[in-house]
Amino acid sequence: MDFLSEAKRAEPEIVKNRRALHQHPEVAYHEEATSRFVAERLESMGVGVKRGVGGTGVVGTLKGSKKGRVVALRADMDGLPVQEMADVEFRSKVDGVMHACGHDTHVAMLLGAARILSGNRDELSGTVKFLFQPAEEHGGRGGALPMIEAGVMKDPKVDFVFGLHISNNQKSGEIGVREGSFMAAPDTFKVKVVGRGGHGSAPHETIDPIYVAAHVILALQGISARMIDPIRPFVITVGAVHSGTKENIIPDQATLEGTIRTLDEGTRSRAKKKVEEVAKGVCRSFGATAEVEFEQDAYPVTVNDPRTTREAVKVLRKMAGIKVKEVDPILGGEDFSRFLQKAPGTFYFLGTNNASKGCVYPNHSSRFKVDEDVLKYGAASLAMLAYEFGNPKGPR
Ligand SMILES: [Zn+2]
Ligand SMILES: [Zn+2]
């Protein structure tokens, strides 16, 4: 089977779907129109459809005509609260919401893969499950977990799972992947520094939480410098500081919000413990107290199964026109990680950086723009992986 030719045939439909989705982005857990769009198209291809899975999720099931294994392919569907500034003629029609992470392209490419696979059911072994997931951008309670809780990885049990992300960090025509830890666990924390307010002219009668919070911010960076093994990737960022109302009032409290990123569970649990110890210790030394809270249910580390990933790379390298590269891990988070905890599989990046087309802005930028020529590669890659891994003896 020549998947790239099939994808080229489906390309006008993929691009049309993508642009329609791009004009009507919906934020996490509000993907009603998007999931309707997905369900209707899957049904028109003769794919079995289940709606309302884990919120607004949609699952399509396609049985091949031959016996084989069960392969799940996943696309996330949510847009972001960003006002679009990209110079495209199909700009978002929804004020303040944009597909700034390219999840519109993920949906369109997975629908493209469904088109290719459903048109070649006679050649197909096993079963393909198309997982259209809500709310990847939601943080802790992303859409993968409720879909798993709704049973998408069971009945029939998924043997392999694959997903991709469109990425401006890589050039158009490149696929980036690596075995093992690939994306970080993103743990969000809040530190409430509780002092005692008073008059700005008499700080000695107060416990100034702003002053103490400043020390906490500095000390937290010491976790990275002095408490985490330097050969383990780790970053800590305090991204929000809230306190005070007026220059001559010392407030009662200050709140810090931040994130830590790690690529292994050992570093992760040590870092979380240290954030709490350092914040509490610094506060105590100035007479204040700290309340430290980590978001529950943060995404796990995204770990690509080494063996599956090696085989997947071999499969993808058969496609003409693209280059499959091993890339460094990144410290962004992904709740595709949750599917990878249930079945071996691979998450990979599809490059879309192309200066000649103005596709130079990073994911999440209000000017983020996708090189639509790469969508056919994405659709073909997903279809290829489902086809090859559905084979009872594995990839040919
Ligand atoms: Zn994103
Ligand atoms: Zn994303």
Side-chain angles (χ1 to χ4, degrees):
M1 282 213 24
D2 183 355
F3 287 94
L4 187 54
S5 314
E6 298 268 334
K8 281 179 181 160
R9 208 141 29 96
E11 191 176 17
E13 184 191 0
I14 297 169
V15 171
K16 190 169 156 242
N17 283 345
R18 185 265 158 153
R19 291 184 176 194
L21 293 162
H22 193 84
Q23 287 187 306
H24 304 283
E26 296 171 298
V27 295
Y29 287 121
H30 294 274
E31 305 92 337
E32 275 99 14
T34 307
S35 60
R36 237 179 358 257
F37 184 98
V38 165
E40 281 164 11
R41 272 151 191 82
L42 290 174
E43 274 161 0
S44 77
M45 298 174 202
V47 174
V49 171
K50 224 166 135 187
R51 304 174 190 229
V53 183
T56 48
V58 178
V59 179
T61 305
L62 176 70
K63 278 204 175 98
S65 61
K66 300 178 223 168
K67 267 201 161 41
R69 301 192 287 196
V70 181
V71 180
L73 304 173
R74 173 270 211 169
D76 41 12
M77 302 191 289
D78 51 328
L80 283 163
V82 172
Q83 181 68 42
E84 177 152 22
M85 304 292 280
D87 64 333
V88 292
E89 70 231 38
F90 48 92
R91 198 176 291 178
S92 169
K93 289 186 172 163
V94 185
D95 217 28
V97 185
M98 176 191 176
H99 267 297
C101 202
H103 298 183
D104 52 338
T105 70
H106 301 169
V107 173
M109 288 187 280
L110 188 52
L111 285 172
R115 166 70 68 203
I116 297 167
L117 292 164
S118 62
N120 291 280
R121 199 183 284 224
D122 292 345
E123 303 288 316
L124 187 68
S125 312
T127 298
V128 187
K129 283 188 179 177
F130 302 95
L131 311 180
F132 289 88
Q133 181 206 305
E136 193 285 324
E137 303 281 5
H138 192 266
R141 197 69 189 172
L145 194 55
M147 283 192 94
I148 291 167
E149 285 167 354
V152 301
M153 299 299 275
K154 298 187 288 199
D155 306 319
K157 185 184 168 299
V158 172
D159 296 305
F160 297 99
V161 61
F162 299 98
L164 60 75
H165 205 300
I166 194 106
S167 166
N168 194 268
N169 282 333
Q170 280 186 259
K171 295 225 175 325
S172 282
E174 276 181 13
I175 280 177
V177 66
R178 85 178 280 114
E179 294 169 25
S181 294
F182 191 35
M183 293 181 73
D187 286 291
T188 300
F189 65 87
K190 211 184 245 184
V191 177
K192 202 200 286 175
V193 177
V194 182
R196 197 175 64 236
H199 202 286
S201 65
H204 59 289
E205 290 169 4
T206 74
I207 296 167
D208 181 354
I210 294 179
Y211 172 76
V212 179
H215 280 272
V216 172
I217 295 169
L218 294 176
L220 287 175
Q221 288 306 328
I223 297 173
S224 152
R226 282 295 172 267
M227 298 171 208
I228 297 295
D229 184 343
I231 65 165
R232 308 255 171 220
F234 173 73
V235 73
I236 179 164
T237 290
V238 174
V241 182
H242 301 286
S243 188
T245 53
K246 194 175 180 305
E247 86 290 343
N248 63 353
I249 302 171
I250 292 173
D252 284 317
Q253 289 180 4
T255 308
L256 309 177
E257 287 169 24
T259 181
I260 60 170
R261 304 296 169 108
T262 51
L263 282 178
D264 68 277
E265 290 299 330
T267 306
R268 183 185 193 185
S269 57
R270 180 172 168 85
K272 286 172 79 171
K273 208 171 106 220
K274 289 293 167 193
V275 167
E276 181 154 6
E277 278 174 19
V278 167
K280 287 192 166 157
V282 170
C283 284
R284 197 180 317 116
S285 65
F286 289 105
T289 54
E291 291 164 21
V292 183
E293 231 176 81
F294 273 89
E295 185 182 38
Q296 294 300 303
D297 274 343
Y299 297 171
V301 180
T302 302
V303 183
N304 281 337
D305 178 61
R307 190 171 153 201
T308 308
T309 302
R310 269 196 298 281
E311 288 178 349
V313 165
K314 267 192 223 153
V315 168
L316 295 174
R317 287 209 163 120
K318 289 183 198 156
M319 190 173 10
I322 57 150
K323 201 165 135 197
V324 182
K325 284 191 2 182
E326 188 189 71
V327 293
D328 289 335
I330 67 163
L331 294 184
E334 235 311 326
D335 72 347
F336 187 76
S337 52
R338 300 215 195 267
F339 296 115
L340 287 171
Q341 289 183 327
K342 298 288 168 193
T346 303
F347 192 65
Y348 55 100
F349 294 131
L350 176 68
T352 184
N353 187 305
N354 188 339
S356 72
K357 295 181 184 169
C359 305
V360 292
Y361 300 98
N363 294 58
H364 288 207
S365 158
S366 61
R367 294 175 199 279
F368 179 67
K369 198 169 133 182
V370 168
D371 176 2
E372 290 179 327
D373 282 346
V374 310
L375 302 183
K376 59 179 176 293
Y377 298 123
S381 66
L382 291 165
M384 278 171 100
L385 291 168
Y387 176 80
E388 293 291 345
F389 281 84
N391 187 36
K393 292 202 185 86
R396 281 148 273 219

